[in-house]
Amino acid sequence: NAGVMQNPRHLVRRRGQEARLRCSPMKGHSHVYWYRQLPEEGLKFMVYLQKENIIDESGMPKERFSAEFPKEGPSILRIQQVVRGDSAAYFCASSPPSAIRETQYFGPGTRLLVL
Amino acid sequence: AQTVTQSQPEMSVQEAETVTLSCTYDTSENNYYLFWYKQPPSRQMILVIRQEAYKQQNATENRFSVNFQKAAKSFSLKISDSQLGDTAMYFCAFMRAAGGTSYGKLTFGQGTILTVHP
């Protein structure tokens, strides 16, 4: 059973460009979470999605950031008009649809560098 | 809002010895979950151990065990027989139990860098 997949693993963008990060959850998992890890810091929650629904986006910056988890295909975290402060590691995690879904399994992360 | 605090930025231990990492948290919830995650140099986040707040028995996973003190809001991780492969950043994390609006959201501490020396 493949784990959580994220791509690309490394992404370099210039200021003002768009960054698109992809996350494929573990097989059978229908809950996806995105976290951001700034250098030398812990992970900070961004958004929690189920298929076609945003459940909790309390950690998402109000502007330039958006996330989706369509019925088919991976979850996408999109950052428009990137700035240097967006440079970070972005982790995706998934959990199963059962009533007990507290355990989240993490992907390897995408390292975004904004020049 | 919940907060998680790890007061030890760095710890070191000799191979085969035991080390304890500290974690405290603040919440008004009665039902919740606590986790320890490991992040080795590869930066992959790996679940080490999980504790349900309603269980009095401390969780154990092979060489890893926790000391969960609910009244004190303390959740320490003990690593026995330390191995070189245990060298990593360790994060303590909190999650509200089902039924809350922020269920599913993990709140992490700042992390503790553990170095195991040969």
Side-chain angles (χ1 to χ4, degrees):
Chain A
N1 188 11
V4 178
M5 311 277 285
Q6 288 188 251
N7 66 82
R9 295 290 305 274
H10 300 273
L11 182 61
V12 180
R13 285 288 178 266
R14 296 193 180 277
R15 282 179 295 168
Q17 291 184 320
E18 178 179 287
R20 192 173 288 222
L21 288 60
R22 294 176 184 77
C23 169
S24 296
M26 286 179 71
K27 187 177 180 180
H29 287 193
S30 57
H31 300 263
V32 165
Y33 314 81
W34 286 93
Y35 295 85
R36 177 165 65 175
Q37 184 178 30
L38 294 171
E40 311 302 325
E41 295 188 12
L43 279 72
K44 296 286 195 294
F45 169 82
M46 299 182 76
V47 63
Y48 164 26
L49 310 105
Q50 293 179 22
K51 287 281 187 181
E52 300 185 280
N53 285 305
I54 296 175
I55 305 302
D56 181 354
E57 56 181 349
S58 59
M60 286 277 274
K62 292 289 185 284
E63 297 178 351
R64 301 188 297 109
F65 286 73
S66 63
E68 63 176 6
F69 189 17
K71 186 176 180 181
E72 301 290 338
S75 175
I76 307 286
L77 178 67
R78 181 198 289 180
I79 311 172
Q80 295 177 300
Q81 299 176 331
V82 296
V83 300
R84 290 217 173 108
D86 296 333
S87 294
Y90 291 83
F91 289 91
C92 166
S94 72
S95 63
S98 63
I100 302 175
R101 55 181 188 269
E102 296 78 25
T103 299
Q104 297 179 15
Y105 299 88
F106 281 79
T110 294
R111 275 80 180 164
L112 172 65
L113 175 62
V114 180
L115 301 177
Chain B
Q2 288 75 33
T3 58
V4 178
T5 302
Q6 293 177 248
S7 58
Q8 305 155 314
E10 296 185 40
M11 292 281 285
S12 63
V13 65
Q14 292 296 125
E15 196 175 9
E17 294 188 346
T18 296
V19 64
T20 298
L21 307 184
S22 300
C23 173
T24 58
Y25 58 94
D26 186 26
T27 184
S28 57
E29 302 289 327
N30 190 47
N31 294 320
Y32 49 87
Y33 302 90
L34 295 163
F35 306 84
W36 279 97
Y37 279 89
K38 167 185 176 181
Q39 187 177 46
S42 66
R43 310 268 327 251
Q44 172 79 52
M45 292 290 288
I46 302 166
L47 177 66
V48 174
I49 201 164
R50 160 189 142 158
Q51 175 80 43
E52 292 86 349
Y54 62 85
K55 288 187 178 177
Q56 293 187 341
Q57 186 174 7
N58 289 323
T60 62
E61 285 289 341
N62 301 313
R63 299 183 294 108
F64 299 88
S65 62
V66 299
N67 183 5
F68 173 48
Q69 301 289 329
K70 191 172 183 180
K73 296 180 182 175
S74 170
F75 183 61
S76 61
L77 174 69
K78 185 171 84 170
I79 306 174
S80 304
D81 187 25
S82 298
Q83 301 176 359
L84 296 178
D86 295 334
T87 292
M89 175 83 91
Y90 286 80
F91 291 100
C92 178
F94 172 100
M95 181 192 294
R96 292 177 65 176
T101 56
S102 60
Y103 174 61
K105 168 184 175 180
L106 279 167
T107 300
F108 287 88
Q110 310 92 313
T112 296
I113 299 172
L114 174 67
T115 303
V116 180
H117 297 286

